[in-house]
Amino acid sequence: MITYEEHRLRSLADEGRWIELLGAYRQARAASVAFGPTRGGPARLRPARGAVEAAPLGHLIAYAAPPEVAARLFDPDGGPGTAAGVADHDAGPLWEVLATRHCWRRLAPLLGPPPVRRLVAQTRVLLGEDLSRDAEPDGEGVPLLLERWEAAGRGEGAPVREYLRDGGSRSALLTLPASREGLAPVDLPEPGARLPGQPATRALAELAGWARAVCVRGSAPHAAAQLAPGRVVTGGYLPFALAWPALVQAGVADRAHGAAHGRLALWRVLAAMTGAGRPGWPDRADRAEVEALVARMRCFTWEDPADRLRHLHLALEDPATGLSWAVSGSEEV
């Protein structure tokens, strides 16, 4: 049932009265923050239910308002508690909604908070925009232009949601394996010996928090055997570019996360696999190492009869080091 207030706000949007709608959002957002005492300490801000109630209005502004108004969702000039943060969301994070609506050249002069600027820029890159000359360098050095293998993977399935004006979104369900095409019965070898404490294993676990990750010395099937449901699986090899969309989407843990989180997390994985995961990476040489890794990497995927709606089963082998990593899991979405 549409309330009077909802009807009034939609009327304001239809009439293009975006500044009034921004004011209404800020009031709702501020009302979501209440002052309360901490035990034995001073009063502090604590979030309340109003943040969730303000999100649909924020979605409408991010989607349909002129960028000069929509970017002010993240501007603290409205006072304490009025600005959206990187985790404010409705169908998806408000910064991702905004990033899907306008090019970087229009948004760059308007966005202030560095975390929002970074995520919006990375989203524009995922949408195919080249920001290598127009945006400030990424804080972790993640390229501001899709690499060749990323661009090829994007053609297989875009991980950025398609948002709708009145709320909600469309998103391809990117899984591995996506189908049985190209797969066949495979007799896996004995599981390879696990190598604990590998930075890339931790990075893989952080990328897909709902899946298990391991590292072994051996081939991709040796790693897969650690996590596969049996010795004989339906599986096969595929290019890394075909695995890329599912890996990026694995990092979109919930509606508060966007595809930019997945891309950033995947670059951390690849950097760790090359040994370049250190402060200040990557310079040109580091990126060249990642390019070389992706070019030589062997990727193996397999089915699990217990798979639920979202699933990821992938082993990544680096022939140059003799190490392989596997990540495997499934969940409802």
Side-chain angles (χ1 to χ4, degrees):
M1 179 178 178
I2 298 176
T3 66
Y4 169 79
E5 181 64 12
E6 289 172 324
H7 179 75
R8 182 183 74 85
L9 293 174
R10 290 187 184 183
S11 296
L12 290 176
D14 292 340
E15 295 167 13
R17 295 161 66 178
W18 296 109
I19 295 297
E20 293 178 57
L21 278 171
L22 178 64
Y25 171 83
R26 286 176 164 178
Q27 288 181 343
R29 184 66 173 73
S32 75
V33 180
F35 283 96
T38 60
R39 180 174 297 178
R44 66 183 180 96
L45 292 172
R46 67 172 186 269
R49 191 176 63 183
V52 176
E53 296 172 347
L57 180 54
H59 177 103
L60 177 60
I61 295 169
Y63 183 95
E68 293 77 10
V69 176
R72 292 179 64 190
L73 285 167
F74 311 98
D75 196 326
D77 66 356
T82 61
V86 294
D88 283 54
H89 65 89
D90 182 31
L94 299 185
W95 51 263
E96 187 172 72
V97 179
L98 177 63
T100 64
R101 303 298 296 161
H102 308 282
C103 68
W104 178 251
R105 188 163 294 180
R106 292 205 68 187
L107 293 173
L110 307 172
L111 292 170
V116 173
R117 287 183 65 84
R118 183 192 192 199
L119 291 167
V120 169
Q122 287 290 338
T123 303
R124 292 305 310 171
V125 171
L126 278 167
L127 291 169
E129 193 169 351
D130 179 358
L131 303 189
S132 57
R133 293 182 178 86
D134 297 331
E136 57 269 22
D138 182 79
E140 289 181 277
V142 177
L144 293 171
L145 169 68
L146 291 178
E147 300 292 344
R148 292 186 298 273
W149 41 273
E150 291 180 299
R154 183 173 172 269
E156 296 297 322
V160 182
R161 300 175 181 97
E162 178 189 353
Y163 290 99
L164 308 177
R165 185 182 191 275
D166 294 325
S169 64
R170 300 187 185 100
S171 178
L173 189 61
L174 304 175
T175 61
L176 274 179
S179 71
R180 298 191 62 161
E181 184 178 352
L183 305 184
V186 176
D187 190 358
L188 295 175
E190 289 292 330
R194 295 195 186 199
L195 298 177
Q198 295 294 313
T201 312
R202 291 194 298 271
L204 261 179
E206 291 171 2
L207 171 69
W210 44 275
R212 294 182 296 158
V214 298
C215 176
V216 307
R217 187 170 298 282
S219 67
H222 285 101
Q226 280 282 357
L227 303 179
R231 285 291 301 275
V232 178
V233 296
T234 300
Y237 286 91
L238 75 166
F240 184 78
L242 296 185
W244 177 83
L247 286 168
V248 171
Q249 197 178 78
V252 184
D254 54 39
R255 286 185 297 169
H257 283 73
H261 288 105
R263 183 181 190 236
L264 293 169
L266 180 53
W267 270 86
R268 293 185 195 110
V269 171
L270 296 173
M273 287 180 175
T274 67
R278 57 183 182 273
W281 96 277
D283 58 24
R284 289 184 179 179
D286 293 330
R287 287 198 294 272
E289 287 188 36
V290 171
E291 285 286 315
L293 169 66
V294 170
R296 67 178 181 261
M297 187 181 287
R298 304 186 74 214
C299 304
F300 180 82
T301 187
W302 68 93
E303 282 190 332
D304 186 328
D307 279 341
R308 289 176 282 181
L309 194 57
R310 176 163 72 169
H311 54 270
L312 174 65
H313 308 296
L314 181 68
L316 304 168
E317 175 187 341
D318 182 1
T321 63
L323 300 182
S324 294
W325 289 264
V327 57
S328 179
S330 69
E331 68 168 4
E332 298 293 347
V333 292

